Amino acid sequence: MIGVFVRVSEGVEGLVPISDFGDRGGGSTECVLQIDGEVVVEVVDITFDKRRVTLSLRRAGDRSQDAPLLR
C-alpha cells in the first residue's frame, strides 16, 4: 500500500503517503483513518501538470494549535 486518498474538497483529492502517517499509523491505515471520517492534514505539495496533491498527517499533527489547517 502506498497510502490513502483524502477528499480535500468537492472534486479535489490528495494522497497521504504511508510514510507521512508518522507514529499514528504503525504501518496500518485502519488504525488511523475511517472511511468517510474527518482528518486534519497539511498540503505538502501540489503538482499542477500531473494534477496531484500530496498531504501529510504527521506535519499537520506537528503544527501548533494556532496555525491555520485545512480541514
Side-chain angles (χ1 to χ4, degrees):
M1 173 180 282
I2 61 169
V4 296
F5 285 94
V6 174
R7 179 175 296 133
V8 178
S9 67
E10 189 63 39
V12 179
E13 293 183 348
L15 176 68
V16 179
I18 196 83
S19 61
D20 260 34
F21 277 39
D23 37 336
R24 293 179 175 193
S28 172
T29 58
E30 293 85 10
C31 293
V32 180
L33 303 174
Q34 296 177 348
I35 295 174
D36 291 330
E38 291 188 15
V39 65
V40 177
V41 296
E42 180 177 324
V43 176
V44 176
D45 186 44
I46 300 174
T47 308
F48 290 100
D49 59 330
K50 294 184 180 180
R51 299 178 53 99
R52 290 186 181 166
V53 178
T54 304
L55 306 170
S56 174
L57 284 171
R58 180 174 29 102
R59 291 185 188 187
D62 291 344
R63 297 184 74 143
S64 74
Q65 295 293 336
D66 299 330
L69 296 174
L70 180 62
R71 293 185 185 254

